[in-house]
Amino acid sequence: MKQIYLIFFLFLVIPAAAQKESNNWYFGNGAGFGFNLDNPGPFTDGAINTWEASSSISDANGNLLFYTNGNTVWTKEHGIMTNGTGLSGSSSSTQGALIIPKPGSNHIYYIFTTGDQGQGGLRYSEVNISLNSGLGAVTSKNILLQTNINEKLAAVLHDNANQVWVVCHGSTNNAFYAFLVTEQGISNTPVVSFSGTNHQNTTLGTSGAMKISPDGAHLALAVRSPSFVEIFDFNKSSGSVSNVSKLDYFGEEPYGIEFSPDNSKLYVGAIKSSGSTSNLYQYSFENGKNPSVLKATEYKIGFNYRIYALQAGSNKQIYVSKMANSLDIIKFPNLARGSLGYQVDGQSLSGKMSGIGLPNFISTYFIENLIEIKDSCLGTS
């Protein structure tokens, strides 16, 4: 008699939970708003003061835990956290702060920091949120991971959906440094990839954002001078960066950059060098990321004011800073061209000012809810 085995489909579910960890934003000069209601609402209780760098973190239920500008850490009650001053980041660094929960822990968090023009290198400090009756304390500070970096700092979940890649870029070369955050802590030895253009260690050469797509497949960065955007393949299993495509901009300085939640679009905010205006560009990946193919999909929106940082929100919309008491919104970032729904002054900050930066988060928080079939035995005996 033949033995009959029941073989079940194996599914890899990309997590859509954990997205509430990005539900509270604090940035600019006391600005902030949250996503815990059906309609995001502004906050006026923030203590933060920053030109660019910021990062906030909430728990899995969307309750604020703490926030930082890379120099100072504030608690959920907006007082300075115990030992929460003197961090080595800079409020004038494009992505000078990034908070990462330690995998497997519900009370340890890491604050990664980069200085102005990368001064001081990539460093991290540790927060134990269980201390001081839940207000937390900084328990170690400014541990050096990498020297000779610029102001770019991004993170995405590893392919195992638990560990986290934290990626920075060299300030005088074309090196990417990917550090793996695990249940045991932070790896001291990064995965190093050399790809793309050498960066310049100047004020505008180190300025501009770097983002990883929510699915972890692509990495894109903006450089204000010389003016270009580069798009790479990112391997979320190995942490390697490869296969560059470059877009050059003439008379403009790319600064803000963001992917759509469905990973099909790239948005670039470019400041016109000649004045106080900007353009927002949309590119589509449906036919690949070859530069000529991307240019063919280019859609431009012009403004009579400057736009700066771009950041996806928990509601799958993209927010745009413009150094004002409101943010613009790309309401339908997955859609092409005129359907993207650009809304000027879509998010009020109730009189608070945004500066030019927005909070930095793990990009996987903003992925569309989906299920991928990793392996199956469909069609086999």
Side-chain angles (χ1 to χ4, degrees):
M1 178 182 293
K2 294 182 179 179
Q3 292 180 319
I4 299 174
Y5 297 91
L6 295 178
I7 304 177
F8 296 90
F9 294 110
L10 302 178
F11 293 94
L12 173 68
V13 180
I14 296 179
Q19 294 175 353
K20 291 184 179 181
E21 291 170 336
S22 62
N23 266 22
N24 298 284
W25 292 20
Y26 284 92
F27 55 96
N29 187 6
F33 67 99
F35 296 90
N36 286 333
L37 303 175
D38 290 338
N39 295 311
F43 301 142
T44 59
D45 53 2
I48 195 170
N49 187 7
T50 181
W51 182 241
E52 294 176 275
S54 67
S55 189
S56 311
I57 194 71
S58 304
D59 64 20
N61 296 314
N63 301 305
L64 177 68
L65 295 176
F66 63 95
Y67 55 97
T68 182
N69 64 357
N71 299 129
T72 302
V73 187
W74 290 273
T75 71
K76 62 185 178 183
E77 295 181 352
H78 311 292
I80 295 176
M81 184 177 285
T82 299
N83 198 30
T85 60
L87 274 67
S88 61
S90 170
S91 61
S92 294
S93 174
T94 305
Q95 294 170 297
L98 177 58
I99 300 169
I100 305 294
K102 182 179 181 180
S105 173
N106 59 8
H107 61 277
I108 300 297
Y109 295 81
Y110 300 114
I111 302 174
F112 291 83
T113 57
T114 64
D116 186 15
Q117 290 186 236
Q119 295 179 18
L122 176 67
R123 296 176 183 265
Y124 74 93
S125 301
E126 184 175 303
V127 170
N128 186 332
I129 201 64
S130 69
L131 301 177
N132 295 319
S133 302
L135 295 180
V138 178
T139 54
S140 60
K141 194 184 298 182
N142 298 332
I143 300 169
L144 180 65
L145 287 171
Q146 183 66 46
T147 59
N148 189 34
I149 64 163
N150 58 26
E151 300 178 3
K152 293 169 170 54
L153 185 59
V156 71
L157 281 184
H158 187 282
D159 192 46
N160 61 25
N162 182 37
Q163 299 169 342
V164 182
W165 290 109
V166 175
V167 185
C168 63
H169 194 285
S171 62
T172 58
N173 55 29
N174 65 343
F176 293 88
Y177 306 96
F179 292 87
L180 189 59
V181 184
T182 74
E183 298 86 340
Q184 287 71 45
I186 302 168
S187 170
N188 290 322
T189 305
V191 175
V192 183
S193 304
F194 295 94
S195 187
T197 305
N198 285 352
H199 289 203
Q200 298 180 1
N201 191 17
T202 63
T203 300
L204 295 184
T206 61
S207 178
M210 178 172 70
K211 296 291 180 73
I212 303 173
S213 60
D215 65 357
H218 298 292
L219 179 150
L221 58 82
V223 176
R224 291 186 66 175
S225 178
S227 303
F228 64 86
V229 165
E230 290 181 324
I231 306 106
F232 304 82
D233 293 339
F234 184 77
N235 187 318
K236 62 181 179 179
S237 254
S238 67
S240 62
V241 180
S242 61
N243 299 329
V244 63
S245 294
K246 186 179 181 184
L247 299 172
D248 290 303
Y249 295 77
F250 301 98
E252 296 176 305
E253 300 169 4
Y255 178 83
I257 200 162
E258 185 58 288
F259 290 92
S260 62
D262 72 348
N263 311 287
S264 70
K265 308 290 188 297
L266 178 69
Y267 291 88
V268 177
I271 305 159
K272 292 184 180 179
S273 305
S274 58
S276 57
T277 60
S278 290
N279 289 317
L280 176 72
Y281 295 94
Q282 181 200 68
Y283 302 94
S284 295
F285 287 107
E286 279 85 352
N287 296 313
K289 64 180 181 66
N290 179 279
S292 61
V293 172
L294 288 177
K295 286 293 288 185
T297 70
E298 184 179 271
Y299 176 69
K300 180 173 72 173
I301 304 175
F303 304 92
N304 60 2
Y305 52 88
R306 287 193 169 198
I307 63 171
Y308 294 94
L310 310 175
Q311 177 57 53
S314 298
N315 58 359
K316 306 303 185 291
Q317 298 176 2
I318 293 177
Y319 292 80
V320 183
S321 66
K322 53 183 182 178
M323 203 169 59
N325 58 10
S326 64
L327 303 176
D328 291 357
I329 305 176
I330 305 171
K331 294 188 69 67
F332 309 110
N334 294 340
L335 302 183
R337 296 182 170 265
S339 300
L340 57 84
Y342 198 92
Q343 185 176 357
V344 177
D345 299 326
Q347 176 60 59
S348 168
L349 299 178
S350 292
K352 300 294 185 178
M353 295 292 290
S354 68
I356 70 174
L358 290 172
N360 199 5
F361 298 102
I362 298 172
S363 62
T364 320
Y365 289 164
F366 309 107
I367 196 168
E368 290 280 295
N369 298 348
L370 56 88
I371 296 176
E372 280 187 1
I373 298 178
K374 183 77 171 184
D375 298 291
S376 75
C377 54
L378 184 63
T380 63
S381 58

